[in-house]
Each structure stands twice: as structure tokens, then as C-alpha cells.
Amino acid sequence: MKGSFQIARFFGIPVEVHWTFGLIVLWILYVVYDKTGQFDPQMLFWQTLFVLSIFFCVMLHEFGHALTARKYGVKTLDIILSPIGGVARLDRMPEKPLQEFWVALAGPLVNVGIILLLSVYVLLQGDIKKSQFLDLLYLVVNPQSNTFAAGLSQFDYYVVGLIGLNAALALFNLLPAFPLDGGRIFRALLSMRLNRLQATRIAARTGQLLAIVLGLYGIANGNIITAMIGVFVFSTAAGEYNYVKMEDALSRTTVNDLVRTSYTLVPDSWHIPEMLQLIPHGLEKYFIVWDEYQGKPTGWVSDKMLFEANKNASLNDLTEIADIQNTTLVEVQSSDSLHEAFNVMRTHQVPILLVKKEDELIGVLDMGMVDQFIRMTRSLK
Ligand SMILES: [Zn+2]
């Protein structure tokens, strides 16, 4: 996601904040002004502290997912925090149902852990009686209530507020709807009995049903945020199902079904102008670069890289293809599934792969071909 910048790095995972976080600052100022009618530095302090704490809790929740995923060998690219919550972008989702179950559950469990810790504090210190605790929680969570009437100190108000917030985070995320954690937990449980595609279909449909209920509830009560969450959940549930349907189609097709056996090998001693003449005549966008002396492939170039290099070149530029090529060259076997090949492209961030049958180079597979295949499976029912 663009528009976010890194603020920290924990356990080797970059934590980024989305620019819309700035809206929260405006919101704090609005709330502070609205409640007191004038600028109150103390109020500003507690509101700021609370908002920062929200983000801290959301971040811990995401690290729950990320570190559990790491246990199963799944890397997390980054964690992005925005006003509507956080996302831990995993390199891939673990496909074993039990692993997905734990990765999804770990987030809400972190919030439950925070609730337990803070509750122990609240119940141990004398100011809040045990019998009052739930009433206070209700007062803080319910925005219409007058919390100051309860005679809480600002600090206690803050702690009880955090408990309420974490309860809301845990419960909301446990709703059985994609892309929420509850949807993934539900799918993982279904996957233990059904295949992944069937499990996803049921979980996605359930999520959409719930989204409709949320949407209607939001509209009926004039609660725009609830209605918007309904719309968001509805469309992402559909997206998740389409994604799994695509994965399913990819894993039932082999590289051999799609491999392109006629392709251009570009000598690495060629210059950019020669190469540019070639491009308009073919359908290829990615080319394998060939070392003529050693008789082997050394890298790849894309049409974009060539155009870019050409823009920066002078008229009698003698830049060779060898100088601009990307030397990350990965090969797959023709018997591999397209799903495996697709994952290889994503992990190594290469748009073209060499396809081998045992030791013999038989062709190439590029991103454009895979994209076209995906579009085709989408249009088929
Ligand atoms: Zn989560």
C-alpha cells in the first residue's frame, strides 16, 4: 500500500503508518474542542495518549499474527497501521488449516491478554470496586454516558477505556466474516472437513450475509461507520473467494500447459536501440538475456526497463543490454503447478521464469501469460 511511511521496526518487521493517520490528529482536536468548548491541554494529553494507545494495541494484535506466522515459516512483509486498524501483510497465508487457525486466532488472543493484564491492575488497586467494574466498562464504552459522573480519575478512566477498546477489537475481529480474523478461523475449521475452495465459499457467503446484516443495521440506526464496514466486508469476502478460486485453478494447471516455447533470447551485447526495434513486432514484454560467449542465460529485461534506459540515453549511447539487465533468474520445472510458479514469481519478484524439462530449457513463463490465465478463469464460472 502506498502512502505509508515507516516509523519503527520490531523483530525485523517494518511498522508503517498510513497518511490517513493525520486525520486522527484533526479528530483529537475536534473532540477536545467539542467537549470543553475551549482548548484544554490536560484533555488534549489524555485524548492523545488514548489514541496512541489504540494504535499500540492494534500493532500488538498484528504482531500476534506476524510472529505466529513466523513460527510456521511465513514471512511478514510489513505491518501497516491506519485509522481503521492494522494489516500484517504476510508473504502468503499458511495453507494447513491448523496453522491458519492459530495465525488468525493469535491477533484477538493478544487483545484478550491485554484485557486480562489491565483487569488484574484494576481489580487489585483499591479505587474501583469489583462490583462496579462492569458498570464502569459500560459507561466508558457507551459514548452517550457521562463517565465523569462516576468519579473516576483520568488514569482509571484511561485504563478502563483501554479494556473496553481491546474487548471491542477482539469481538469485532472474531466476527466470522472475511477479511476479519473470525472469517479465517471459520474457514480453517471448515477446511478440516472440506477442501479449501468449498470451505472458502461457505465462509465467504456467511461473511457476506453478516455484512448485509451489518449494513442494514447501520442504515436503520443511522450509523454510517457500521454501514461502511458492512460494504467493506461484503466486497472483501467476495475478493477472498475469487482469490482462492484463482489459486485452485492455478494449482490444477501445470507450467507445461502454459509454457511459451517460442521466445526471443536477447544477446547481452546488443544495444538498446536494436532492442527497441524488436519490441513493436512481438507480443513479448519480458525477454531472457543470453550470454553468447558462455552460451547460457544471464538475466532478463522488460520493455519498461528498455524504455526507461532509452529515455536516459544519449544519441550515440553504447549501453549494452548486459548493463541494464536484472540478473535474478529463476527456473521452474514444466511439471510444477502454475500455483508454485506464481509463488516463485512473487517471492523472487521476477516477471519471467525459465522453464526446464529435467535439465533441458524448453521455454519461458511470464507474468502476462499468468495474468491472462487468471482473467480467463475469472470469466469462466
Ligand atoms: Zn487480526
Side-chain angles (χ1 to χ4, degrees):
M1 202 197 301
K2 285 282 162 227
S4 50
F5 54 93
Q6 189 175 330
I7 50 158
R9 194 184 181 92
F10 300 115
F11 304 102
I13 300 169
V15 178
E16 301 190 352
V17 166
H18 196 249
W19 67 268
T20 44
F21 184 70
L23 297 177
I24 287 281
V25 176
L26 294 177
W27 181 76
I28 296 176
L29 292 174
Y30 167 75
V31 169
V32 170
Y33 183 78
D34 193 49
K35 277 198 181 162
T36 59
Q38 59 191 19
F39 182 73
D40 177 353
Q42 217 197 350
M43 185 86 166
L44 183 67
F45 170 78
W46 287 106
Q47 291 287 348
T48 309
L49 183 66
F50 192 67
V51 168
L52 290 179
S53 306
I54 294 177
F55 273 75
F56 189 67
C57 292
V58 169
M59 190 183 79
L60 292 180
H61 171 115
E62 297 307 329
F63 269 104
H65 294 306
L67 295 181
T68 312
R70 175 177 289 182
K71 239 183 66 179
Y72 299 122
V74 176
K75 269 196 276 181
T76 301
L77 305 175
D78 48 32
I79 287 174
I80 299 173
L81 305 175
S82 77
I84 52 163
V87 186
R89 286 201 308 149
L90 301 187
D91 186 30
R92 61 188 166 83
M93 225 25 208
E95 284 183 25
K96 286 205 184 103
L98 199 62
Q99 296 184 352
E100 183 179 30
F101 174 82
W102 283 116
V103 170
L105 190 63
L109 279 184
V110 167
N111 297 112
V112 172
I114 297 173
I115 293 172
L116 290 177
L117 276 177
L118 293 177
S119 298
V120 167
Y121 161 81
V122 167
L123 294 174
L124 283 184
Q125 65 110 27
D127 285 358
I128 300 172
K129 291 192 186 71
K130 292 183 184 79
S131 55
Q132 266 188 312
F133 183 51
L134 283 179
D135 291 344
L136 286 175
L137 202 55
Y138 176 75
L139 281 175
V140 174
V141 174
N142 182 8
Q144 271 85 45
S145 65
N146 184 0
T147 35
F148 294 101
L152 283 184
S153 73
Q154 279 286 13
F155 185 72
D156 288 344
Y157 176 54
Y158 164 77
V159 172
V160 177
L162 271 188
I163 293 175
L165 171 89
N166 278 282
L169 276 176
L171 288 176
F172 174 68
N173 276 292
L174 284 172
L175 289 177
F178 280 123
L180 306 175
D181 301 331
R184 299 192 183 282
I185 293 169
F186 186 38
R187 194 239 319 256
L189 291 175
L190 289 170
S191 297
M192 290 173 189
R193 285 294 170 86
L194 306 167
N195 74 41
R196 192 172 158 81
L197 188 63
Q198 288 172 319
T200 307
R201 182 162 53 220
I202 295 173
R205 292 284 177 265
T206 313
Q208 288 186 315
L209 203 67
L210 197 84
I212 293 172
V213 174
L214 271 179
L216 291 178
Y217 175 85
I219 293 167
N221 290 283
N223 188 333
I224 297 170
I225 293 176
T226 309
M228 271 166 53
I229 290 173
V231 173
F232 172 70
V233 167
F234 190 88
S235 69
T236 33
E240 176 75 18
Y241 177 57
N242 281 333
Y243 184 78
V244 173
K245 205 165 74 174
M246 174 202 83
E247 275 188 331
D248 184 64
L250 287 177
S251 56
R252 281 187 287 107
T253 312
T254 64
V255 171
N256 201 42
D257 297 331
L258 218 65
V259 62
R260 185 166 63 217
T261 49
S262 98
Y263 56 97
T264 316
L265 283 177
V266 181
D268 64 349
S269 58
W270 274 23
H271 300 124
I272 295 166
E274 294 171 81
M275 194 55 217
L276 284 174
Q277 282 173 356
L278 198 78
I279 290 178
H281 303 297
L283 294 167
E284 293 167 87
K285 280 188 157 56
Y286 310 99
F287 305 87
I288 299 293
V289 180
W290 188 261
D291 182 331
E292 286 172 303
Y293 295 103
Q294 297 187 47
K296 62 169 197 179
T298 54
W300 57 271
V301 284
S302 67
D303 55 352
K304 276 205 192 98
M305 284 155 71
L306 291 163
F307 293 139
E308 198 58 37
N310 192 45
K311 242 195 281 173
N312 302 325
S314 56
L315 266 179
N316 54 356
D317 194 358
L318 293 177
T319 307
E320 291 184 352
I321 298 298
D323 302 325
I324 64 162
Q325 69 174 334
N326 184 316
T327 53
T328 311
L329 209 51
V330 194
E331 45 189 60
V332 287
Q333 284 292 320
S334 63
S335 56
D336 289 346
S337 73
L338 269 188
H339 188 220
E340 286 169 283
F342 182 66
N343 280 341
V344 167
M345 282 180 177
R346 277 208 330 192
T347 346
H348 295 274
Q349 307 211 313
V350 289
I352 185 164
L353 302 172
L354 293 172
V355 178
K356 287 199 164 171
K357 196 169 199 165
E358 273 146 42
D359 279 337
E360 188 199 348
L361 178 63
I362 61 162
V364 296
L365 179 75
D366 72 40
M367 205 57 225
M369 296 151 73
V370 177
D371 275 345
Q372 203 179 8
F373 176 82
I374 291 171
R375 270 200 301 277
M376 207 180 68
T377 53
R378 276 218 189 110
S379 58
L380 299 173
K381 269 286 153 184

